[in-house]
Amino acid sequence: MAARRIEVITGHLRRHNLSPNPVAAQNYEYTLDCGPLTKEQKDFYEKNGYLVIKKLIPDDILEKCRQHFVDLCNGAVDKGPMVMMREIALMEAGYTGENLYNKVQDILYDNVFSLYTEYPKLLDVISSFTGPNIMGMHSMLINKPPGTTRHPPHQDLYYFPFRPANRIVASWTAMEDVYKENGSLFVIPGSHKGELFIHRYPVSDDNKINKAYHGIQNEFEIAPESERVYVPMEKGDTVFFHPIMVHGSGPNTTKNFRKAISCHYAASECNYIETKGTVQEGIANEITAIAKSKGLDVDFKTAMYYRAKDLRGERINL
């Protein structure tokens, strides 16, 4: 049986042009000698910490995901273990359905959303960052209805109790055209080479702060407006970015929706870490408290373990 499994895995790697033992290519720290990325694409990611690939995801997949989200918002389908999140300001204004919900999380095990998270061409690109053993770790569809607030500058590694950071990558796909006015992503190029900063809830005059929308402390020192690069995208375009890269998004000041679907992937060889006494202790305690409020007595690492899904290759540590 073991020999047969090795034969199957090796055949799979050949079909997808993957190395069974990927290593960082010469002079590369953040990408691997594995997967379909060109030298120019790797060079850009190594320098900037993000990379946009045009029209990677077909329209039909995005439309199925969009309609599924609308059905979830309207209560037409069962959400199961997925988590629906609401914008506080929109809730207080009395909005309902698609105009109220700004996110659905933990979509890895959903049959419709998995059309995106497990799309073969997407996973091929992911392998250039993780290698052949790919875990889906954190997933969501993000909705910005008209009037939705900003997401302050932050680093996704803050939410992840596993390392190394260089074997973690996010995919973020525009489900419709995205531009500055409707809340496009902005990035701080090169910030992936820095450190993980202290995060907190942003200061708000009206105290309308969305749950788990933490931002970097002293954000205008670390992510000044002059260094923010906005990333306009067309439907189907996908941006990949490093978990330490500082990024955020602006408010939606238009009369239309802005949707994106996203997943964080990691090499299954990554290991869980202890967050007590680190800058992640606060978010670890918050996630543990949320789990307990739902009757689950689990710690940060255990919560992440059961949310994860092995998508390609072998599940080793995560």
Side-chain angles (χ1 to χ4, degrees):
M1 290 295 291
R4 172 60 180 162
R5 176 156 179 78
I6 292 172
E7 180 182 342
V8 170
I9 292 173
T10 304
H12 171 83
L13 296 176
R14 289 197 196 101
R15 288 195 300 275
H16 291 278
N17 192 29
L18 307 179
S19 166
N21 295 297
V23 295
Q26 187 174 7
N27 300 321
Y28 290 133
E29 183 176 355
Y30 305 102
T31 55
L32 298 170
D33 188 15
C34 181
L37 291 188
T38 66
K39 180 180 184 302
E40 290 74 20
Q41 289 172 323
K42 289 183 178 182
D43 288 344
F44 187 91
Y45 186 86
E46 292 282 325
K47 178 181 178 180
N48 296 285
Y50 74 100
L51 173 70
V52 176
I53 295 182
K54 303 289 289 182
K55 299 294 184 181
L56 181 64
I57 308 299
D59 285 358
D60 65 319
I61 289 179
L62 297 178
E63 177 55 28
K64 288 175 182 176
C65 291
R66 186 201 66 79
Q67 185 58 55
H68 191 48
F69 175 75
V70 173
D71 290 342
L72 285 165
C73 292
N74 293 333
V77 294
D78 182 17
K79 66 181 178 65
M82 294 184 289
V83 179
M84 301 290 293
M85 302 181 71
R86 298 174 290 181
E87 179 97 8
I88 292 176
L90 299 179
M91 180 174 63
E92 292 183 353
Y95 288 102
T96 60
E98 187 184 9
N99 287 284
L100 171 62
Y101 291 97
N102 64 357
K103 190 182 292 186
V104 55
Q105 288 195 156
D106 300 329
I107 64 175
L108 282 168
Y109 287 90
D110 182 84
N111 290 336
V112 177
F113 292 136
S114 63
L115 295 173
Y116 170 78
T117 59
E118 299 182 33
Y119 183 55
K121 289 185 178 179
L122 174 60
L123 294 182
D124 289 347
V125 176
I126 293 298
S127 71
S128 292
F129 306 99
T130 64
N133 299 314
I134 303 173
M135 295 292 300
M137 300 302 297
H138 182 250
S139 54
M140 67 189 86
L141 188 152
I142 310 151
N143 182 41
K144 273 187 177 285
T148 309
T149 57
R150 72 185 186 119
H151 194 164
H154 62 283
Q155 298 162 295
D156 290 341
L157 190 65
Y158 176 69
Y159 297 95
F160 302 149
F162 48 89
R163 300 292 189 276
N166 291 352
R167 299 285 73 84
I168 306 168
V169 68
S171 69
W172 192 101
T173 299
M175 299 181 71
E176 50 225 338
D177 290 355
V178 173
Y179 43 92
K180 187 174 182 180
E181 289 75 17
N182 71 355
S184 72
L185 285 181
F186 63 79
V187 299
I188 305 296
S191 57
H192 65 302
K193 299 178 182 180
E195 61 183 298
L196 182 59
F197 296 107
I198 296 172
H199 286 59
R200 60 168 175 74
Y201 279 111
V203 176
S204 173
D205 293 335
D206 58 12
N207 201 35
K208 295 177 181 178
I209 301 172
N210 293 316
K211 196 71 173 175
Y213 273 53
H214 295 264
I216 293 172
Q217 188 171 291
N218 303 321
E219 63 168 285
F220 293 106
E221 295 178 16
I222 294 168
E225 289 283 354
S226 61
E227 295 183 15
R228 297 182 185 185
V229 173
Y230 288 84
V231 186
M233 299 168 67
E234 296 179 325
K235 183 178 181 179
D237 293 354
T238 302
V239 59
F240 299 87
F241 55 90
H242 190 279
I244 294 180
M245 190 190 70
V246 177
H247 67 287
S249 66
N252 183 0
T253 60
T254 74
K255 296 181 179 180
N256 300 311
F257 292 94
R258 190 233 71 184
K259 290 184 179 64
I261 188 166
S262 177
C263 185
H264 285 84
Y265 300 90
S268 74
E269 293 90 342
C270 290
N271 289 287
Y272 287 104
I273 62 165
E274 178 56 59
T275 54
K276 187 175 178 60
T278 73
V279 296
Q280 293 179 262
E281 184 172 3
I283 189 64
N285 292 337
E286 183 173 334
I287 289 174
T288 300
I290 292 172
K292 285 187 176 179
S293 71
K294 297 181 179 181
L296 301 173
D297 188 13
V298 296
D299 60 16
F300 190 17
K301 292 181 285 186
T302 304
M304 182 62 70
Y305 179 87
Y306 284 110
R307 294 164 72 186
K309 184 179 183 182
D310 50 324
L311 302 179
R312 182 179 283 182
E314 294 185 279
R315 186 168 192 171
I316 298 174
N317 296 323
L318 297 180

